[in-house]
Amino acid sequence: MNFTQITFIIGQVSPEGVVNMLGTGFLVSNNGKIVTARHVVGNLTENLCILMPHISDINTYQDVADNRCQPVPVTIQDINPITDICILQAEGLSFDGVLPRLDSLDNVNVGEKIGMFGFPHCVMGRRVLTYREAEIGAKMLLETSGIKSKYATLNMQTRPGQSGSLVFSHQTGNIVGMLIGTYAPTCGIIIAGINPHELNTDSYCISASYIKEML
């Protein structure tokens, strides 16, 4: 599967026509539904967009000075604040290819290798689609508002902009999760704009089964 063609930057168009990049999302239906982390869009509801893929192959040299983009308007279709999932609908977007299956973290094992595509640092204006891989470090249940959901710890450090990235199994090619972010509890201290608790190698993703339930 060429994940470069189904991975998008989520953004918002300013009144001046500038696209502010917010995070990563990926296509989950042939009729233009895209999923991202709810915290990527926050409380924004207007002028949201996706940026269409700017490369056809991950081995392409990506020109970071090329600011040309093709924004497509999107609207929020559904939000699950418990699992931090947001479903967007893109205007006039369709995909003729076969999409990877949305699977579950139930079907991957601790120690299994996963891959991920996303846009680290896009929130700082850098558009570089990046592939990363790691191992599943643990499976866990996290509770929000009295409801427990299935997550996995990924043995990697992630950066702002990668939230909403697809996480896929190397064994099956299926999408098994969506990146939520780095485990970083508030410590009350910020050094050079960084929460020191972010400087660890524990990130986590939500099971893609919850995305499937929302479609």
Side-chain angles (χ1 to χ4, degrees):
M1 177 67 202
N2 188 356
F3 290 108
T4 64
Q5 300 307 293
I6 65 169
T7 305
F8 307 96
I9 287 178
I10 310 299
Q12 185 187 40
V13 182
S14 73
E16 295 75 29
V18 176
V19 176
N20 297 311
M21 294 182 284
L22 306 172
T24 302
F26 57 95
L27 191 68
V28 289
S29 76
N30 292 94
N31 65 347
K33 289 184 176 63
I34 290 127
V35 65
T36 188
R38 189 266 177 191
H39 73 264
V40 166
V41 298
N43 295 321
L44 302 176
T45 57
E46 297 182 351
N47 302 319
L48 293 170
C49 68
I50 58 168
L51 301 187
M52 295 299 289
H54 63 295
I55 58 171
S56 59
D57 187 288
I58 193 62
N59 290 303
T60 300
Y61 285 96
Q62 301 178 61
D63 185 352
V64 296
D66 185 356
N67 294 323
R68 293 174 297 175
C69 64
Q70 183 182 353
V72 174
V74 296
T75 54
I76 295 175
Q77 184 179 73
D78 197 8
I79 285 176
N80 186 336
I82 301 297
T83 54
D84 198 13
I85 296 172
C86 176
I87 304 294
L88 303 170
Q89 178 65 56
E91 293 183 12
L93 178 65
S94 62
F95 183 77
D96 295 331
V98 177
L99 291 168
R101 178 187 170 198
L102 290 174
D103 205 344
S104 170
L105 290 173
D106 292 351
N107 298 319
V108 292
N109 297 317
V110 172
E112 185 174 329
K113 185 167 288 187
I114 57 87
M116 183 172 70
F117 283 91
F119 291 90
H121 312 295
C122 70
V123 295
M124 293 178 281
R126 183 174 181 176
R127 180 181 57 167
V128 178
L129 180 62
T130 303
Y131 169 74
R132 301 191 67 188
E133 63 181 32
E135 300 80 29
I136 300 288
K139 294 183 181 183
M140 56 190 174
L141 296 174
L142 296 181
E143 184 173 340
T144 303
S145 300
I147 299 175
K148 293 182 180 180
S149 303
K150 296 176 180 178
Y151 292 82
T153 294
L154 308 179
N155 294 334
M156 65 164 64
Q157 184 184 60
T158 52
R159 304 308 304 152
Q162 286 180 276
S163 296
S165 297
L166 64 87
V167 176
F168 71 95
S169 165
H170 273 281
Q171 292 189 15
T172 65
N174 296 338
I175 295 175
V176 295
M178 178 183 71
L179 181 73
I180 300 300
T182 298
Y183 176 67
T186 302
C187 67
I189 300 173
I190 300 296
I191 301 174
I194 297 173
N195 174 359
H197 284 182
E198 293 179 355
L199 303 177
N200 63 73
T201 56
D202 287 337
S203 296
Y204 65 110
C205 68
I206 183 85
S207 176
S209 58
Y210 299 109
I211 299 170
K212 191 173 182 180
E213 291 173 359
M214 295 174 67
L215 300 178

